[in-house]
Amino acid sequence: MIRVNLVGTGNLGWNLAQALQDANGVELVQVVDRSERLKDLQGLNRIETLETMNPADICLLAVRDSDIAGLVPQLRQFDMMIAHCSGATPLSELDGLKRAGVWYPLQTFSKDLRAPLKNITVALESNDDDDLELLSGLALALHANPIRVDSAQRRVLHLSAVLVNNFVNHLFTLGKTELDQVGLSFDLLLPLIQETVRKASLNGPEDSQTGPAVRNDHETIQKHLDLLSDPKTRELYIQLTQSILQRHGKEL
Amino acid sequence: MIRVNLVGTGNLGWNLAQALQDANGVELVQVVDRSERLKDLQGLNRIETLETMNPADICLLAVRDSDIAGLVPQLRQFDMMIAHCSGATPLSELDGLKRAGVWYPLQTFSKDLRAPLKNITVALESNDDDDLELLSGLALALHANPIRVDSAQRRVLHLSAVLVNNFVNHLFTLGKTELDQVGLSFDLLLPLIQETVRKASLNGPEDSQTGPAVRNDHETIQKHLDLLSDPKTRELYIQLTQSILQRHGKEL
């Protein structure tokens, strides 16, 4: 049984609280929820402040990146493993703690829609092998795949996550915006989107590129630019097209 | 039984030839394959030139956009429905034919990896209701979803397909490139990518946006820019971030 405390009540905290409650082999001891943002979740042992935290094996910090370092003075008294969940924050921001680590779940989390933890990557960091094993055990209890990385690798992992999630979702939004203007539904695109993912996962994305840019089809590119009335979307189309041309060895 | 002739031997022709052969209620009569590019596909009745085409119900033109208009003089003699498969080409490029239409399958096609036709959107256009029914029947025989659109709507559908497939796949490529540099596998990103698609399909992409841009988290954005050594990828990161900020009402 891995006993866990959780600090943080944002999108990640909302998801982790429930995942930790549901997992076999995990006991969610306490959640620090001063703002009462998790009060709708049943069965949580919510507390107001870090100072009154009970002992546990791991304390997960699911807080904003900019708030991590500020918690260190309050956390110094504890003997438990304290791990932040940030992709972009070095382990060294927890310097001064007795036992510090990173437990970064590579997933996109929103409130009110539970994201699967199963099969996701959890990037771990710790200077102690036993602590690393403990962090790994927590990932496995959630059916996630732990990997050990250093802070530099994790930073790149986070950047890549932004490219394939944040930016990809934004392109979905732009696609939907165009369809809205002519009365067509975003749902029409879903099978194409699913095939895009399937192809990239089977053949790798480099070998899956299709479309006017990789074909060097200037006529179609120009037709698309003529359609795009928003200057920022137009500029984005040009930049992405140029980037594809650059990657695939052609010139605009 | 819908009898079909197929003209074109590229990625689309390679996929359609096999899908039409396999479909119940469809007879693939002939494939115009002068280049012998489909000669490895078993059971095709390949012919050299358009002039010797046998009668059929529909002739699908799976050729480059720029080659469509040039085929019209050779196709004038035929009484069958002749439909091009292009997203960006107006129906009017087939002016002069007895019966003309559009049968545009909204999918990404590569050679050597069969793409599903099932559940994809096929955008149809024709000035004749009976011909539209015929084109619709062909989509249904492939278990695809036919929709009637005009040329202007279809052009937007094609633009959106480029946004959510071509550009998204390129972002996958850029994500992979970053991971390659630190010895991590693209496969680590797949569960995140799958959740990105699931969220967008359930909640719509506007309500699914997460990440540093929508949070206005300049510190993380700067960390990512510091990591990006390729100037084009860096510029792309900035443009996409600005576009997210613009969409979600924040300023960079």
PDB file of all heavy atoms in Angstrom, chain B residues 128-161:
ATOM      1  N   ASP B 128     -27.500  17.062 -60.710  1.00  0.00           N
ATOM      2  CA  ASP B 128     -28.625  16.184 -61.010  1.00  0.00           C
ATOM      3  C   ASP B 128     -28.914  15.293 -59.800  1.00  0.00           C
ATOM      4  O   ASP B 128     -28.008  14.638 -59.265  1.00  0.00           O
ATOM      5  CB  ASP B 128     -28.272  15.314 -62.229  1.00  0.00           C
ATOM      6  CG  ASP B 128     -29.405  14.398 -62.630  1.00  0.00           C
ATOM      7  OD1 ASP B 128     -29.551  13.314 -61.998  1.00  0.00           O
ATOM      8  OD2 ASP B 128     -30.155  14.760 -63.559  1.00  0.00           O
ATOM      9  N   ASP B 129     -30.165  15.252 -59.368  1.00  0.00           N
ATOM     10  CA  ASP B 129     -30.504  14.518 -58.141  1.00  0.00           C
ATOM     11  C   ASP B 129     -30.282  13.011 -58.276  1.00  0.00           C
ATOM     12  O   ASP B 129     -29.867  12.361 -57.318  1.00  0.00           O
ATOM     13  CB  ASP B 129     -31.958  14.799 -57.739  1.00  0.00           C
ATOM     14  CG  ASP B 129     -32.094  16.156 -57.068  1.00  0.00           C
ATOM     15  OD1 ASP B 129     -31.046  16.766 -56.754  1.00  0.00           O
ATOM     16  OD2 ASP B 129     -33.227  16.610 -56.874  1.00  0.00           O
ATOM     17  N   ASP B 130     -30.581  12.452 -59.452  1.00  0.00           N
ATOM     18  CA  ASP B 130     -30.356  11.014 -59.639  1.00  0.00           C
ATOM     19  C   ASP B 130     -28.863  10.687 -59.578  1.00  0.00           C
ATOM     20  O   ASP B 130     -28.461   9.669 -59.013  1.00  0.00           O
ATOM     21  CB  ASP B 130     -30.932  10.542 -60.986  1.00  0.00           C
ATOM     22  CG  ASP B 130     -32.460  10.526 -60.970  1.00  0.00           C
ATOM     23  OD1 ASP B 130     -33.035  10.512 -59.864  1.00  0.00           O
ATOM     24  OD2 ASP B 130     -33.066  10.561 -62.054  1.00  0.00           O
ATOM     25  N   ASP B 131     -28.069  11.541 -60.182  1.00  0.00           N
ATOM     26  CA  ASP B 131     -26.620  11.323 -60.146  1.00  0.00           C
ATOM     27  C   ASP B 131     -26.080  11.438 -58.722  1.00  0.00           C
ATOM     28  O   ASP B 131     -25.182  10.705 -58.313  1.00  0.00           O
ATOM     29  CB  ASP B 131     -25.908  12.320 -61.061  1.00  0.00           C
ATOM     30  CG  ASP B 131     -26.035  11.923 -62.531  1.00  0.00           C
ATOM     31  OD1 ASP B 131     -26.309  10.731 -62.792  1.00  0.00           O
ATOM     32  OD2 ASP B 131     -25.878  12.791 -63.399  1.00  0.00           O
ATOM     33  N   LEU B 132     -26.646  12.364 -57.976  1.00  0.00           N
ATOM     34  CA  LEU B 132     -26.249  12.536 -56.580  1.00  0.00           C
ATOM     35  C   LEU B 132     -26.562  11.262 -55.792  1.00  0.00           C
ATOM     36  O   LEU B 132     -25.772  10.813 -54.955  1.00  0.00           O
ATOM     37  CB  LEU B 132     -27.028  13.718 -56.004  1.00  0.00           C
ATOM     38  CG  LEU B 132     -26.376  14.545 -54.929  1.00  0.00           C
ATOM     39  CD1 LEU B 132     -25.051  15.121 -55.368  1.00  0.00           C
ATOM     40  CD2 LEU B 132     -27.311  15.683 -54.536  1.00  0.00           C
ATOM     41  N   GLU B 133     -27.709  10.671 -56.088  1.00  0.00           N
ATOM     42  CA  GLU B 133     -28.100   9.425 -55.430  1.00  0.00           C
ATOM     43  C   GLU B 133     -27.122   8.300 -55.772  1.00  0.00           C
ATOM     44  O   GLU B 133     -26.747   7.494 -54.921  1.00  0.00           O
ATOM     45  CB  GLU B 133     -29.505   9.037 -55.890  1.00  0.00           C
ATOM     46  CG  GLU B 133     -30.117   7.950 -55.060  1.00  0.00           C
ATOM     47  CD  GLU B 133     -31.456   8.415 -54.486  1.00  0.00           C
ATOM     48  OE1 GLU B 133     -31.666   9.648 -54.385  1.00  0.00           O
ATOM     49  OE2 GLU B 133     -32.268   7.561 -54.159  1.00  0.00           O
ATOM     50  N   LEU B 134     -26.706   8.269 -57.011  1.00  0.00           N
ATOM     51  CA  LEU B 134     -25.743   7.258 -57.456  1.00  0.00           C
ATOM     52  C   LEU B 134     -24.406   7.427 -56.710  1.00  0.00           C
ATOM     53  O   LEU B 134     -23.832   6.463 -56.195  1.00  0.00           O
ATOM     54  CB  LEU B 134     -25.545   7.411 -58.971  1.00  0.00           C
ATOM     55  CG  LEU B 134     -24.620   6.431 -59.678  1.00  0.00           C
ATOM     56  CD1 LEU B 134     -25.132   4.995 -59.544  1.00  0.00           C
ATOM     57  CD2 LEU B 134     -24.492   6.814 -61.166  1.00  0.00           C
ATOM     58  N   LEU B 135     -23.925   8.662 -56.654  1.00  0.00           N
ATOM     59  CA  LEU B 135     -22.667   8.936 -55.942  1.00  0.00           C
ATOM     60  C   LEU B 135     -22.789   8.588 -54.456  1.00  0.00           C
ATOM     61  O   LEU B 135     -21.860   8.062 -53.839  1.00  0.00           O
ATOM     62  CB  LEU B 135     -22.284  10.416 -56.087  1.00  0.00           C
ATOM     63  CG  LEU B 135     -21.893  10.870 -57.493  1.00  0.00           C
ATOM     64  CD1 LEU B 135     -21.805  12.395 -57.560  1.00  0.00           C
ATOM     65  CD2 LEU B 135     -20.573  10.232 -57.920  1.00  0.00           C
ATOM     66  N   SER B 136     -23.959   8.896 -53.914  1.00  0.00           N
ATOM     67  CA  SER B 136     -24.228   8.584 -52.516  1.00  0.00           C
ATOM     68  C   SER B 136     -24.216   7.072 -52.291  1.00  0.00           C
ATOM     69  O   SER B 136     -23.632   6.580 -51.316  1.00  0.00           O
ATOM     70  CB  SER B 136     -25.582   9.182 -52.147  1.00  0.00           C
ATOM     71  OG  SER B 136     -25.919   8.856 -50.837  1.00  0.00           O
ATOM     72  N   GLY B 137     -24.818   6.344 -53.211  1.00  0.00           N
ATOM     73  CA  GLY B 137     -24.844   4.883 -53.108  1.00  0.00           C
ATOM     74  C   GLY B 137     -23.446   4.287 -53.098  1.00  0.00           C
ATOM     75  O   GLY B 137     -23.176   3.322 -52.371  1.00  0.00           O
ATOM     76  N   LEU B 138     -22.555   4.875 -53.860  1.00  0.00           N
ATOM     77  CA  LEU B 138     -21.180   4.373 -53.892  1.00  0.00           C
ATOM     78  C   LEU B 138     -20.481   4.611 -52.545  1.00  0.00           C
ATOM     79  O   LEU B 138     -19.742   3.754 -52.064  1.00  0.00           O
ATOM     80  CB  LEU B 138     -20.387   5.040 -55.024  1.00  0.00           C
ATOM     81  CG  LEU B 138     -18.948   4.538 -55.181  1.00  0.00           C
ATOM     82  CD1 LEU B 138     -18.886   3.047 -55.463  1.00  0.00           C
ATOM     83  CD2 LEU B 138     -18.216   5.306 -56.284  1.00  0.00           C
ATOM     84  N   ALA B 139     -20.735   5.769 -51.946  1.00  0.00           N
ATOM     85  CA  ALA B 139     -20.155   6.036 -50.622  1.00  0.00           C
ATOM     86  C   ALA B 139     -20.709   5.040 -49.600  1.00  0.00           C
ATOM     87  O   ALA B 139     -19.951   4.449 -48.813  1.00  0.00           O
ATOM     88  CB  ALA B 139     -20.444   7.470 -50.185  1.00  0.00           C
ATOM     89  N   LEU B 140     -22.014   4.821 -49.642  1.00  0.00           N
ATOM     90  CA  LEU B 140     -22.639   3.915 -48.676  1.00  0.00           C
ATOM     91  C   LEU B 140     -22.147   2.480 -48.845  1.00  0.00           C
ATOM     92  O   LEU B 140     -21.971   1.750 -47.865  1.00  0.00           O
ATOM     93  CB  LEU B 140     -24.170   3.972 -48.811  1.00  0.00           C
ATOM     94  CG  LEU B 140     -24.802   5.308 -48.395  1.00  0.00           C
ATOM     95  CD1 LEU B 140     -26.280   5.344 -48.775  1.00  0.00           C
ATOM     96  CD2 LEU B 140     -24.631   5.556 -46.901  1.00  0.00           C
ATOM     97  N   ALA B 141     -21.897   2.082 -50.089  1.00  0.00           N
ATOM     98  CA  ALA B 141     -21.387   0.724 -50.342  1.00  0.00           C
ATOM     99  C   ALA B 141     -20.020   0.528 -49.679  1.00  0.00           C
ATOM    100  O   ALA B 141     -19.629  -0.583 -49.345  1.00  0.00           O
ATOM    101  CB  ALA B 141     -21.295   0.468 -51.844  1.00  0.00           C
ATOM    102  N   LEU B 142     -19.282   1.618 -49.499  1.00  0.00           N
ATOM    103  CA  LEU B 142     -17.975   1.564 -48.828  1.00  0.00           C
ATOM    104  C   LEU B 142     -18.099   1.854 -47.327  1.00  0.00           C
ATOM    105  O   LEU B 142     -17.091   2.042 -46.642  1.00  0.00           O
ATOM    106  CB  LEU B 142     -17.013   2.553 -49.482  1.00  0.00           C
ATOM    107  CG  LEU B 142     -16.690   2.283 -50.963  1.00  0.00           C
ATOM    108  CD1 LEU B 142     -16.013   3.483 -51.602  1.00  0.00           C
ATOM    109  CD2 LEU B 142     -15.812   1.044 -51.109  1.00  0.00           C
ATOM    110  N   HIS B 143     -19.349   1.930 -46.829  1.00  0.00           N
ATOM    111  CA  HIS B 143     -19.631   2.222 -45.420  1.00  0.00           C
ATOM    112  C   HIS B 143     -19.154   3.608 -45.003  1.00  0.00           C
ATOM    113  O   HIS B 143     -18.855   3.856 -43.829  1.00  0.00           O
ATOM    114  CB  HIS B 143     -19.031   1.153 -44.501  1.00  0.00           C
ATOM    115  CG  HIS B 143     -19.532  -0.218 -44.809  1.00  0.00           C
ATOM    116  ND1 HIS B 143     -20.770  -0.672 -44.460  1.00  0.00           N
ATOM    117  CD2 HIS B 143     -18.959  -1.235 -45.512  1.00  0.00           C
ATOM    118  CE1 HIS B 143     -20.938  -1.892 -44.886  1.00  0.00           C
ATOM    119  NE2 HIS B 143     -19.861  -2.268 -45.533  1.00  0.00           N
ATOM    120  N   ALA B 144     -19.037   4.501 -45.980  1.00  0.00           N
ATOM    121  CA  ALA B 144     -18.680   5.896 -45.684  1.00  0.00           C
ATOM    122  C   ALA B 144     -19.969   6.712 -45.544  1.00  0.00           C
ATOM    123  O   ALA B 144     -21.059   6.225 -45.854  1.00  0.00           O
ATOM    124  CB  ALA B 144     -17.809   6.463 -46.794  1.00  0.00           C
ATOM    125  N   ASN B 145     -19.820   7.945 -45.050  1.00  0.00           N
ATOM    126  CA  ASN B 145     -20.968   8.824 -44.836  1.00  0.00           C
ATOM    127  C   ASN B 145     -21.020   9.916 -45.892  1.00  0.00           C
ATOM    128  O   ASN B 145     -20.242  10.861 -45.835  1.00  0.00           O
ATOM    129  CB  ASN B 145     -20.892   9.475 -43.455  1.00  0.00           C
ATOM    130  CG  ASN B 145     -20.930   8.454 -42.336  1.00  0.00           C
ATOM    131  OD1 ASN B 145     -21.647   7.451 -42.423  1.00  0.00           O
ATOM    132  ND2 ASN B 145     -20.143   8.681 -41.309  1.00  0.00           N
ATOM    133  N   PRO B 146     -21.925   9.813 -46.861  1.00  0.00           N
ATOM    134  CA  PRO B 146     -22.016  10.847 -47.892  1.00  0.00           C
ATOM    135  C   PRO B 146     -22.684  12.114 -47.353  1.00  0.00           C
ATOM    136  O   PRO B 146     -23.635  12.034 -46.580  1.00  0.00           O
ATOM    137  CB  PRO B 146     -22.901  10.183 -48.951  1.00  0.00           C
ATOM    138  CG  PRO B 146     -23.717   9.171 -48.217  1.00  0.00           C
ATOM    139  CD  PRO B 146     -22.887   8.720 -47.056  1.00  0.00           C
ATOM    140  N   ILE B 147     -22.146  13.273 -47.736  1.00  0.00           N
ATOM    141  CA  ILE B 147     -22.857  14.531 -47.483  1.00  0.00           C
ATOM    142  C   ILE B 147     -22.837  15.354 -48.752  1.00  0.00           C
ATOM    143  O   ILE B 147     -21.894  15.289 -49.547  1.00  0.00           O
ATOM    144  CB  ILE B 147     -22.250  15.385 -46.339  1.00  0.00           C
ATOM    145  CG1 ILE B 147     -20.782  15.744 -46.624  1.00  0.00           C
ATOM    146  CG2 ILE B 147     -22.378  14.718 -44.992  1.00  0.00           C
ATOM    147  CD1 ILE B 147     -20.305  16.903 -45.769  1.00  0.00           C
ATOM    148  N   ARG B 148     -23.918  16.119 -48.958  1.00  0.00           N
ATOM    149  CA  ARG B 148     -23.989  16.993 -50.131  1.00  0.00           C
ATOM    150  C   ARG B 148     -23.446  18.362 -49.754  1.00  0.00           C
ATOM    151  O   ARG B 148     -23.858  18.936 -48.744  1.00  0.00           O
ATOM    152  CB  ARG B 148     -25.437  17.117 -50.575  1.00  0.00           C
ATOM    153  CG  ARG B 148     -25.555  17.933 -51.823  1.00  0.00           C
ATOM    154  CD  ARG B 148     -26.992  18.094 -52.256  1.00  0.00           C
ATOM    155  NE  ARG B 148     -27.020  18.601 -53.621  1.00  0.00           N
ATOM    156  CZ  ARG B 148     -28.086  18.641 -54.382  1.00  0.00           C
ATOM    157  NH1 ARG B 148     -29.239  18.198 -53.928  1.00  0.00           N
ATOM    158  NH2 ARG B 148     -28.008  19.118 -55.605  1.00  0.00           N
ATOM    159  N   VAL B 149     -22.510  18.843 -50.514  1.00  0.00           N
ATOM    160  CA  VAL B 149     -21.953  20.183 -50.281  1.00  0.00           C
ATOM    161  C   VAL B 149     -21.854  20.900 -51.621  1.00  0.00           C
ATOM    162  O   VAL B 149     -21.935  20.265 -52.674  1.00  0.00           O
ATOM    163  CB  VAL B 149     -20.535  20.122 -49.647  1.00  0.00           C
ATOM    164  CG1 VAL B 149     -20.559  19.476 -48.265  1.00  0.00           C
ATOM    165  CG2 VAL B 149     -19.560  19.382 -50.546  1.00  0.00           C
ATOM    166  N   ASP B 150     -21.678  22.214 -51.581  1.00  0.00           N
ATOM    167  CA  ASP B 150     -21.359  22.926 -52.823  1.00  0.00           C
ATOM    168  C   ASP B 150     -19.847  23.104 -52.921  1.00  0.00           C
ATOM    169  O   ASP B 150     -19.104  22.764 -51.989  1.00  0.00           O
ATOM    170  CB  ASP B 150     -22.124  24.248 -52.924  1.00  0.00           C
ATOM    171  CG  ASP B 150     -21.813  25.194 -51.785  1.00  0.00           C
ATOM    172  OD1 ASP B 150     -20.685  25.123 -51.247  1.00  0.00           O
ATOM    173  OD2 ASP B 150     -22.677  26.006 -51.425  1.00  0.00           O
ATOM    174  N   SER B 151     -19.382  23.641 -54.038  1.00  0.00           N
ATOM    175  CA  SER B 151     -17.926  23.729 -54.249  1.00  0.00           C
ATOM    176  C   SER B 151     -17.258  24.601 -53.190  1.00  0.00           C
ATOM    177  O   SER B 151     -16.132  24.322 -52.767  1.00  0.00           O
ATOM    178  CB  SER B 151     -17.629  24.283 -55.659  1.00  0.00           C
ATOM    179  OG  SER B 151     -17.983  23.337 -56.644  1.00  0.00           O
ATOM    180  N   ALA B 152     -17.960  25.658 -52.757  1.00  0.00           N
ATOM    181  CA  ALA B 152     -17.376  26.564 -51.759  1.00  0.00           C
ATOM    182  C   ALA B 152     -17.222  25.842 -50.420  1.00  0.00           C
ATOM    183  O   ALA B 152     -16.182  25.949 -49.758  1.00  0.00           O
ATOM    184  CB  ALA B 152     -18.251  27.804 -51.601  1.00  0.00           C
ATOM    185  N   GLN B 153     -18.242  25.083 -50.020  1.00  0.00           N
ATOM    186  CA  GLN B 153     -18.145  24.332 -48.762  1.00  0.00           C
ATOM    187  C   GLN B 153     -17.047  23.273 -48.843  1.00  0.00           C
ATOM    188  O   GLN B 153     -16.309  23.048 -47.888  1.00  0.00           O
ATOM    189  CB  GLN B 153     -19.477  23.634 -48.464  1.00  0.00           C
ATOM    190  CG  GLN B 153     -20.569  24.558 -47.956  1.00  0.00           C
ATOM    191  CD  GLN B 153     -21.884  23.811 -47.802  1.00  0.00           C
ATOM    192  OE1 GLN B 153     -22.320  23.112 -48.716  1.00  0.00           O
ATOM    193  NE2 GLN B 153     -22.504  23.967 -46.642  1.00  0.00           N
ATOM    194  N   ARG B 154     -16.956  22.632 -50.007  1.00  0.00           N
ATOM    195  CA  ARG B 154     -15.959  21.569 -50.153  1.00  0.00           C
ATOM    196  C   ARG B 154     -14.541  22.129 -50.049  1.00  0.00           C
ATOM    197  O   ARG B 154     -13.646  21.510 -49.468  1.00  0.00           O
ATOM    198  CB  ARG B 154     -16.159  20.827 -51.476  1.00  0.00           C
ATOM    199  CG  ARG B 154     -15.152  19.688 -51.704  1.00  0.00           C
ATOM    200  CD  ARG B 154     -15.623  18.724 -52.779  1.00  0.00           C
ATOM    201  NE  ARG B 154     -16.258  19.416 -53.868  1.00  0.00           N
ATOM    202  CZ  ARG B 154     -15.620  20.035 -54.845  1.00  0.00           C
ATOM    203  NH1 ARG B 154     -14.310  20.049 -54.894  1.00  0.00           N
ATOM    204  NH2 ARG B 154     -16.282  20.667 -55.796  1.00  0.00           N
ATOM    205  N   ARG B 155     -14.341  23.325 -50.587  1.00  0.00           N
ATOM    206  CA  ARG B 155     -13.026  23.950 -50.504  1.00  0.00           C
ATOM    207  C   ARG B 155     -12.638  24.185 -49.035  1.00  0.00           C
ATOM    208  O   ARG B 155     -11.483  24.003 -48.644  1.00  0.00           O
ATOM    209  CB  ARG B 155     -13.062  25.284 -51.257  1.00  0.00           C
ATOM    210  CG  ARG B 155     -11.799  25.590 -51.986  1.00  0.00           C
ATOM    211  CD  ARG B 155     -12.017  26.580 -53.099  1.00  0.00           C
ATOM    212  NE  ARG B 155     -12.672  27.801 -52.641  1.00  0.00           N
ATOM    213  CZ  ARG B 155     -12.286  29.035 -52.980  1.00  0.00           C
ATOM    214  NH1 ARG B 155     -11.249  29.208 -53.770  1.00  0.00           N
ATOM    215  NH2 ARG B 155     -12.941  30.083 -52.560  1.00  0.00           N
ATOM    216  N   VAL B 156     -13.609  24.589 -48.229  1.00  0.00           N
ATOM    217  CA  VAL B 156     -13.348  24.817 -46.805  1.00  0.00           C
ATOM    218  C   VAL B 156     -13.096  23.481 -46.094  1.00  0.00           C
ATOM    219  O   VAL B 156     -12.227  23.378 -45.223  1.00  0.00           O
ATOM    220  CB  VAL B 156     -14.514  25.582 -46.150  1.00  0.00           C
ATOM    221  CG1 VAL B 156     -14.335  25.655 -44.635  1.00  0.00           C
ATOM    222  CG2 VAL B 156     -14.611  26.985 -46.738  1.00  0.00           C
ATOM    223  N   LEU B 157     -13.859  22.470 -46.487  1.00  0.00           N
ATOM    224  CA  LEU B 157     -13.645  21.130 -45.931  1.00  0.00           C
ATOM    225  C   LEU B 157     -12.205  20.668 -46.204  1.00  0.00           C
ATOM    226  O   LEU B 157     -11.540  20.093 -45.332  1.00  0.00           O
ATOM    227  CB  LEU B 157     -14.649  20.170 -46.586  1.00  0.00           C
ATOM    228  CG  LEU B 157     -15.119  18.935 -45.839  1.00  0.00           C
ATOM    229  CD1 LEU B 157     -15.601  19.242 -44.436  1.00  0.00           C
ATOM    230  CD2 LEU B 157     -16.239  18.246 -46.640  1.00  0.00           C
ATOM    231  N   HIS B 158     -11.728  20.951 -47.404  1.00  0.00           N
ATOM    232  CA  HIS B 158     -10.378  20.561 -47.771  1.00  0.00           C
ATOM    233  C   HIS B 158      -9.334  21.344 -46.969  1.00  0.00           C
ATOM    234  O   HIS B 158      -8.352  20.776 -46.477  1.00  0.00           O
ATOM    235  CB  HIS B 158     -10.176  20.774 -49.276  1.00  0.00           C
ATOM    236  CG  HIS B 158      -8.863  20.258 -49.783  1.00  0.00           C
ATOM    237  ND1 HIS B 158      -7.844  21.086 -50.189  1.00  0.00           N
ATOM    238  CD2 HIS B 158      -8.401  19.004 -49.909  1.00  0.00           C
ATOM    239  CE1 HIS B 158      -6.807  20.343 -50.564  1.00  0.00           C
ATOM    240  NE2 HIS B 158      -7.120  19.087 -50.414  1.00  0.00           N
ATOM    241  N   LEU B 159      -9.570  22.638 -46.813  1.00  0.00           N
ATOM    242  CA  LEU B 159      -8.668  23.461 -45.987  1.00  0.00           C
ATOM    243  C   LEU B 159      -8.624  22.927 -44.549  1.00  0.00           C
ATOM    244  O   LEU B 159      -7.537  22.784 -43.957  1.00  0.00           O
ATOM    245  CB  LEU B 159      -9.150  24.915 -46.003  1.00  0.00           C
ATOM    246  CG  LEU B 159      -8.545  25.856 -44.954  1.00  0.00           C
ATOM    247  CD1 LEU B 159      -7.044  26.005 -45.142  1.00  0.00           C
ATOM    248  CD2 LEU B 159      -9.226  27.226 -45.013  1.00  0.00           C
ATOM    249  N   SER B 160      -9.786  22.612 -44.003  1.00  0.00           N
ATOM    250  CA  SER B 160      -9.835  22.092 -42.627  1.00  0.00           C
ATOM    251  C   SER B 160      -9.111  20.756 -42.522  1.00  0.00           C
ATOM    252  O   SER B 160      -8.460  20.471 -41.509  1.00  0.00           O
ATOM    253  CB  SER B 160     -11.286  21.912 -42.169  1.00  0.00           C
ATOM    254  OG  SER B 160     -11.932  23.148 -42.152  1.00  0.00           O
ATOM    255  N   ALA B 161      -9.234  19.947 -43.562  1.00  0.00           N
ATOM    256  CA  ALA B 161      -8.536  18.653 -43.573  1.00  0.00           C
ATOM    257  C   ALA B 161      -7.024  18.865 -43.525  1.00  0.00           C
ATOM    258  O   ALA B 161      -6.310  18.121 -42.850  1.00  0.00           O
ATOM    259  CB  ALA B 161      -8.928  17.851 -44.808  1.00  0.00           C
TER     260      ALA B 161
END
